Amino acid sequence: MVLKNNFHLRQIIFFSTTPLKHNENVPQTQNSTLKIINFAKQINARGLPVLLALVNKAYLPFVYSWLCNTMYMGIHRQVLFITTDSYSEKKITKDWPDVGAFTVLDLDELSGAQEYSKVGYVRLVVRRTEITLTLLKERIKLLLFEVDCLWFANPLSLCEKEAKGYDIVAASVSNRPGMVGFGFLYMLPTNTMIAFWELHTHSGCRSRTLAGSEADQPYLNRLIKAKYAGIKVNMLPLNLLADGWWYNLSDKEKKNIKPLIVNNNWVVGNKGKIQRAKRFGHWFWIEESGKCDTKLVNKTVY
């Protein structure tokens, strides 16, 4: 495999994958990976894609709100959560027995809120990328998504339709023409997809922070722009897969488009995301009662 002629190798810095720390249990990690593969294969055996998301303790409120949001969509048995702490795995498994949850890194320093591009964030992204590659190599069809989002409707049938002739179906990014959003990637396990993701996987960074140009999403987009390995990407428009700029639209503008998904990004911090979701009636978990706001779910989803 070689890069396209218009893709200058010197413009990309290759990094080795972030190594395991001395207190990370290698056998435990390997055992978790086998469980993840087996769980994913069971889902694909039913002809269904795996819905894969990486979460930690700080993100549990988003997990619960999203699971409430999608409780009537019939997709929970396809959901596979990778957790960074055993508490999250046990909590999710107990409260939501239909979904899968497996711990890959049981580390306290990764259980809290992570700041974009900092070392904790980088390590989480690297692990997610590695596991994604493992599943692709096992020929698992999957949707890589994030739980800080709103699902007005189940997008999987649309993704299946739009994936024909492509390796990836992806969301666009507001104000970034041609850029793919990392929060929604529907991937087919083609040879091209695997070759593409292998290079992306081996771009982990050793430094404590990532410069903006070397962050995970820009790096992925440079590979896509270069059409590395002949990758074919179908970027769906923002009126189908919206991002956080959707919240800035006027009520009239919102009525003219009917997105299936709205990713709750373009806002800083978990607190800001939760406040915005609640302000727009898109927060479905009632923490005080430990229940879903089913009336709000029925009112919101299509």
Side-chain angles (χ1 to χ4, degrees):
M1 297 180 298
V2 295
L3 297 175
K4 295 281 187 177
N5 292 332
N6 63 343
F7 189 60
H8 302 293
L9 185 61
R10 59 183 172 79
Q11 292 179 332
I12 292 184
I13 302 174
F14 291 92
F15 299 100
S16 62
T17 301
T18 305
L20 289 171
K21 285 188 173 182
H22 69 277
N23 60 338
E24 292 181 36
N25 190 310
V26 175
Q28 179 184 359
T29 301
Q30 293 173 338
N31 186 47
S32 296
T33 301
L34 290 176
K35 290 180 179 179
I36 290 168
I37 292 172
N38 290 334
F39 186 86
K41 283 185 174 181
Q42 291 174 18
I43 296 171
N44 265 197
R46 304 198 302 270
L48 302 170
V50 173
L51 278 58
L52 179 68
L54 175 68
V55 300
N56 64 3
K57 187 176 180 180
Y59 249 61
L60 282 181
F62 292 99
V63 171
Y64 279 54
S65 183
W66 181 82
L67 287 170
C68 290
N69 173 193
T70 58
M71 62 190 300
Y72 300 128
M73 295 185 186
I75 60 172
H76 284 188
R77 292 186 181 276
Q78 296 170 244
V79 176
L80 171 55
F81 288 125
I82 302 166
T83 74
T84 61
D85 54 278
S86 56
Y87 173 85
S88 296
E89 176 186 347
K90 293 174 182 176
K91 186 72 173 160
I92 294 171
T93 302
K94 176 179 177 293
D95 295 338
W96 301 90
D98 284 346
V99 308
F102 301 93
T103 306
V104 293
L105 292 173
D106 195 4
L107 297 174
D108 289 339
E109 71 251 38
L110 297 183
S111 64
Q114 302 296 327
E115 184 178 349
Y116 177 76
S117 86
K118 299 302 182 182
V119 64
Y121 174 88
V122 172
R123 295 186 69 208
L124 294 181
V125 168
V126 167
R127 290 296 175 258
R128 178 176 65 178
T129 304
E130 289 175 338
I131 291 172
T132 300
L133 176 61
T134 298
L135 294 179
L136 288 172
K137 285 184 173 181
E138 293 290 337
R139 302 296 174 174
I140 303 294
K141 180 165 55 177
L142 57 90
L143 168 64
L144 188 64
F145 77 105
E146 295 178 352
V147 290
D148 55 340
C149 63
L150 165 70
W151 282 33
F152 280 119
N154 184 349
L156 295 181
S157 59
L158 173 68
C159 290
E160 186 72 22
K161 176 183 176 182
E162 296 294 334
K164 294 179 180 177
Y166 294 90
D167 303 294
I168 311 176
V169 175
S172 304
V173 179
S174 293
N175 303 324
R176 301 288 190 274
M179 177 172 277
V180 165
F182 204 77
F184 190 98
L185 294 174
Y186 185 86
M187 294 181 277
L188 300 182
T190 62
N191 291 335
T192 298
M193 183 73 251
I194 293 170
F196 174 87
W197 204 258
E198 276 186 315
L199 179 58
H200 178 54
T201 300
H202 296 302
S203 65
C205 182
R206 286 197 184 100
S207 63
R208 293 190 62 81
T209 61
L210 284 174
S213 63
E214 294 305 326
D216 201 63
Q217 183 168 298
Y219 183 88
L220 177 77
N221 275 279
R222 291 209 306 280
L223 294 181
I224 289 174
K225 186 177 181 180
K227 297 182 179 179
Y228 176 77
I231 194 74
K232 294 180 180 179
V233 182
N234 187 1
M235 293 176 58
L236 297 187
L238 289 162
N239 65 327
L240 288 177
L241 303 178
D243 63 16
W245 278 102
W246 179 87
Y247 286 104
N248 299 323
L249 301 178
S250 66
D251 290 341
K252 182 178 180 181
E253 288 173 315
K254 288 190 180 78
K255 288 180 180 179
N256 291 331
I257 60 175
K258 299 273 285 185
L260 301 179
I261 288 178
V262 179
N263 284 307
N264 190 4
N265 50 16
W266 290 102
V267 64
V268 178
N270 291 356
K271 184 178 179 180
K273 291 183 178 184
I274 292 174
Q275 288 176 341
R276 183 165 71 176
K278 288 182 176 180
R279 186 166 71 251
F280 284 88
H282 296 160
W283 191 259
F284 307 99
W285 174 248
I286 307 173
E287 189 172 1
E288 294 77 13
S289 64
K291 296 180 180 179
C292 296
D293 190 337
T294 55
K295 289 184 179 180
L296 185 58
V297 171
N298 285 318
K299 178 182 176 182
T300 304
V301 300
Y302 298 151

